[in-house]
Amino acid sequence: MNTTAHPPLTSVWRQWLVDNLQRGCTQESLVAAMLNNQFSSATATFHIAQVTAELSNKAPKPAAVENPAAAEKYRYEASRIASGNTLNVTDRAVSVSMRLAQPDIVAFDDFMSRAECERLIADSIEKVERSGVVDPETGKTIIIPARSSEGCYFQRGENAFIQQLDARISAVMNWPIDHGEGIQILHYTNGGEYRPHFDYFPVEQSGSATHLAKGGQRVATFIMYLNDVEAGGETVFPDVGLNIVPRQGSAVYFSYVNSLGQIDPATLHGGAPVIAGEKWIATKWMRQEKY
Ligand code: PD2
Ligand code: ZN
């Protein structure tokens, strides 16, 4: 392909492509959004192919940077999740439905009530319409009038409802509330998927530095399922052959950084394609330090 035939991509659009490809958006949806923003079909397809190739060459692998233990095999420690089949946390009794030791994965039932799930979806529908992307040059959030954005964030403690959820999540994860990022909402429609990835920031990638500077590395993820999915949409852990089926109110936890600062590459995970229906999830990522 002749690269000179296409106008170069601005850094904002490049970052937008990186974010959306990593979220598993389809090529068709990205082209459609770019067509709405004065790209020609050929130019959009060209840039999507370029960025896709770049991303596949950068398979994230944990690296030893200023930490000799990082180069060693990951040492599993006791899960941060309390023992017991029912965890009485803040305002709710949460049931444990599955525990895996290596990698550290714990699944829960009844983490949220039906009403709470519905409220979070209802509150998100409005925000999703207003969601934007971070301008990598200015760091500001900018709105791109494309329909491809399917996610939004709730700032920590944004309102009393979010504050209550943040507190419950922090209690179950056994990690301080002020180490948590704001809850992220993702909405998948039919065919939507989130290709396998790691949630930690690959230390060898230059783009991770900005993320690591505030709060340090991510240490654990908590995914809450806000609706039942008719078919597909499981959270998959391909290296251990584990699939978590989304059920309204249930949740899954997994951790990938231990007290030595090592990172567990066995936590590769993804969102399988939604085959029928739609899928709404809320995700909380915890950091090593205050965030
Ligand atoms: O939607 C999911 O199941 C999923 C899969 C992988 C969510 C995330 N990662 C995430 O929010 O990090
Ligand atoms: Zn993830």
Side-chain angles (χ1 to χ4, degrees), residues 194 197-199 221 223 254 269 285:
Y194 198 159
H197 60 273
F198 300 107
D199 281 357
T221 300
I223 299 175
F254 51 99
H269 65 287
W285 290 286

Side-chain angles (χ1 to χ4, degrees), residues 25-285:
C25 291
T26 62
Q27 168 149 344
E28 295 74 47
S29 69
L30 298 176
V31 170
M34 292 173 83
L35 287 180
N36 282 340
N37 282 274
Q38 279 78 50
F39 283 87
S40 72
S41 166
T43 299
T45 310
F46 168 78
H47 286 305
I48 292 167
Q50 291 279 108
V51 175
T52 303
E54 250 173 64
L55 290 175
S56 67
N57 287 337
K58 283 188 188 169
K61 291 189 191 77
V65 174
E66 296 168 13
N67 180 4
E72 294 165 16
K73 193 165 173 262
Y74 187 80
R75 270 185 249 169
Y76 288 98
E77 297 170 341
S79 179
R80 294 180 197 113
I81 304 296
S83 56
N85 297 346
T86 305
L87 309 183
N88 288 298
V89 291
T90 55
D91 55 349
R92 199 168 173 87
V94 177
S95 308
V96 176
S97 58
M98 193 277 309
R99 290 179 189 265
L100 185 69
Q102 300 185 4
D104 174 30
I105 303 176
V106 183
F108 302 92
D109 284 331
D110 301 321
F111 179 78
M112 287 169 75
S113 69
R114 173 196 286 254
E116 287 172 328
C117 293
E118 286 171 357
R119 166 148 186 208
L120 204 45
I121 293 174
D123 288 358
S124 304
I125 285 172
E126 284 171 29
K127 288 180 74 110
V128 164
E129 287 167 3
R130 289 187 261 121
S131 71
V133 292
V134 174
D135 181 335
E137 277 164 5
T138 65
K140 289 186 179 153
T141 301
I142 53 160
I143 301 295
I144 293 181
R147 289 187 313 214
S148 58
S149 176
E150 298 166 5
C152 66
Y153 285 89
F154 287 90
Q155 274 177 21
R156 216 174 49 219
E158 181 168 322
N159 57 42
F161 172 52
I162 295 294
Q163 212 167 1
Q164 191 184 355
L165 277 182
D166 281 339
R168 193 185 301 159
I169 296 166
S170 156
V172 168
M173 294 181 86
N174 201 6
W175 204 253
I177 199 165
D178 63 6
H179 287 36
E181 297 179 29
I183 291 173
Q184 189 204 47
I185 305 292
L186 278 186
H187 176 218
Y188 305 83
T189 49
N190 203 319
E193 64 178 319
Y194 198 159
R195 297 201 196 114
H197 60 273
F198 300 107
D199 281 357
Y200 52 79
F201 303 109
V203 282
E204 73 279 10
Q205 283 183 12
S206 58
S208 297
T210 355
H211 294 290
L212 293 168
K214 186 182 171 200
Q217 185 58 274
R218 284 179 174 163
V219 296
T221 300
F222 196 79
I223 299 175
M224 294 149 274
Y225 302 97
L226 306 182
N227 71 318
D228 289 340
V229 182
E230 233 174 284
E234 303 96 329
T235 302
V236 299
F237 293 84
D239 287 353
V240 283
L242 176 69
N243 290 7
I244 305 288
V245 174
R247 290 260 180 268
Q248 188 176 59
S250 67
V252 65
Y253 162 93
F254 51 99
S255 76
Y256 31 81
V257 174
N258 63 16
S259 62
L260 302 167
Q262 293 179 305
I263 295 177
D264 185 4
T267 54
L268 182 72
H269 65 287
V274 172
I275 295 167
E278 57 177 343
K279 174 181 171 190
W280 285 91
I281 59 160
T283 303
K284 167 73 76 177
W285 290 286

